[in-house]
Amino acid sequence: MQCGMPRQSLTPQSPLSPAAYTKFQLVDGGSICTGRVEVEARGVWGPLCATAWDLPDAHILCHHLGCGSAISLPPPGNFGMGTGMPRSDALRCSG
């Protein structure tokens, strides 16, 4: 996923996170606002299995990360597969 420019805060609270998912980040993309979506659950990071995501969902996560609006949503695997247990993308995005 690629977002716009970063803002100051990187960990705002958002209705995007279900109770088990405590933090989100973008990795392996060259900046804090570009990369594979990873989520922390119970202290362990893993890639988000984003089978049902679209650009509106990406906009929400970009804003959640303080990175402005989503610019693009590359195909799965574009930023590598990651390590750790993949996390379900069964999130209810709103915002």
Side-chain angles (χ1 to χ4, degrees):
M1 183 166 79
Q2 184 175 7
C3 305
M5 299 303 294
R7 295 186 184 153
Q8 283 187 302
S9 175
L10 297 177
T11 56
Q13 296 300 311
S14 167
L16 179 68
S17 316
Y21 294 170
T22 54
K23 296 179 185 174
F24 292 85
Q25 65 182 1
L26 298 176
V27 298
D28 294 340
S31 81
I32 61 171
C33 292
T34 302
R36 177 181 61 256
V37 179
E38 292 201 347
V39 63
E40 182 186 44
R42 298 183 189 107
V44 178
W45 286 96
L48 185 68
C49 181
T51 57
W53 274 45
D54 56 14
L55 201 55
D57 294 326
H59 284 304
I60 292 168
L61 183 59
C62 287
H63 283 285
H64 174 80
L65 295 173
C67 292
S69 296
I71 295 172
S72 66
L73 191 59
N78 191 65
F79 297 108
M81 299 309 291
T83 59
M85 183 173 195
R87 309 289 182 191
S88 169
D89 70 343
L91 306 174
R92 293 197 172 118
C93 295
S94 65

